[in-house]
Amino acid sequence: TRMSPFALAHPDDRERLRRHFDDLLRGAPVAAISCRMLHKTGQHLWLEMMWRAIVDADGRVSRLQASSRDVTERKDYERQLEETRRKLQVNQESLIEANARLAALASHDALTGLKNRRAFEERMVEELARIRRTRQPVTLLLVDIDHFKAFNDSFGHPRGDEVLRDVARLLSRTIRDTDVAARYGGEEFAIILPNTDAAGAHEVGER
């Protein structure tokens, strides 16, 4: 006995095949459909099938005929291509993330998260070029933690690192988004205040 195409179709493809048949019986133009069909070996093979409706003298569909060809190898190749594409995309995203992390490491101080001395000096060069161009003021604040060496000697460097991180957080909360705070070295910090005159810098410094 012949089995229904739906019984032979892979469970994940049955509904799609059923919709294809419905379109065919309604007389809608349909193209070839690729489905996984059960083979006598017990495996599901990809078949590309072209179905056509055979009508009787009354114009009713009496039966369906199909021509098919095995496209399992092509589907496997397409699947491998898709897997390779996904892996390449993941690798590309990982590379972008890694480059972003490297850029952050190159421009930020690992302990405090502030800009490092190199990034500070690069930004300062940019600001000096800008003020020559626009004549807008820029102010530089230098901040130093008093008696930091004595604190480290008394409580240890791990506690000293905590102090540096706390000071960095305070500086970040105090300045504007357009300002730049950097760890210049040791317990020394620098803050670039674009478009800020001496009076404005004094206010920030006191804060």
Side-chain angles (χ1 to χ4, degrees):
T1 59
R2 291 186 176 181
M3 297 183 66
S4 163
F6 302 115
L8 294 174
H10 190 280
D12 293 342
D13 295 337
R14 286 173 188 164
E15 184 57 33
R16 186 162 54 87
L17 183 61
R18 193 179 302 278
R19 290 196 303 269
H20 185 80
F21 276 11
D22 289 343
D23 291 341
L24 185 66
L25 293 174
R26 285 200 306 269
V30 291
I33 183 173
S34 296
C35 290
R36 287 162 290 185
M37 305 296 284
L38 185 64
H39 189 257
K40 60 184 179 181
T41 59
Q43 295 180 323
H44 281 91
L45 301 181
W46 278 99
L47 297 182
E48 185 177 76
M49 298 173 288
M50 177 63 77
W51 293 86
R52 69 186 185 96
I54 307 299
V55 297
D56 57 19
D58 297 327
R60 293 176 300 185
V61 176
S62 59
R63 66 185 188 277
L64 297 173
Q65 286 185 344
S67 59
S68 64
R69 61 180 179 136
D70 187 345
V71 292
T72 303
E73 186 175 348
R74 189 190 77 192
K75 285 291 186 179
D76 287 342
Y77 180 66
E78 290 173 354
R79 177 182 54 79
Q80 292 171 14
L81 279 178
E82 179 61 22
E83 289 179 357
T84 301
R85 187 194 65 79
R86 281 199 298 266
K87 288 178 182 178
L88 286 173
Q89 183 176 0
V90 169
N91 290 338
Q92 184 179 22
E93 291 173 354
S94 298
L95 183 60
I96 292 173
E97 291 176 2
N99 285 336
R101 287 195 296 270
L102 285 174
L105 288 173
S107 61
H108 288 74
D109 175 60
L111 178 63
T112 63
L114 299 179
K115 296 287 188 181
N116 58 23
R117 182 167 180 167
R118 174 186 171 186
F120 159 78
E121 291 175 347
E122 290 176 352
R123 178 60 182 271
M124 200 65 214
V125 169
E126 294 174 1
E127 287 299 320
L128 291 174
R130 184 184 63 80
I131 62 175
R132 283 194 294 268
R133 213 172 46 246
T134 65
R135 300 299 178 183
Q136 294 295 318
V138 63
T139 305
L140 174 64
L141 293 181
L142 297 178
V143 182
D144 181 85
I145 303 176
D146 292 339
H147 312 300
F148 188 68
K149 183 179 184 303
F151 183 92
N152 271 341
D153 292 341
S154 299
F155 300 102
H157 288 280
R159 293 295 302 278
D161 288 347
E162 290 180 18
V163 170
L164 291 173
R165 283 191 288 265
D166 287 341
V167 170
R169 281 192 289 269
L170 287 171
L171 294 178
S172 297
R173 288 202 298 265
T174 301
I175 62 176
R176 303 165 300 183
D177 292 339
T178 54
D179 301 333
V180 177
R183 184 184 179 197
Y184 195 73
E187 73 277 19
E188 297 173 340
F189 298 87
I191 304 174
I192 301 173
L193 303 170
N195 299 318
T196 305
D197 58 16
H202 183 270
E203 180 183 340
V204 175
E206 287 300 319
R207 189 164 64 241

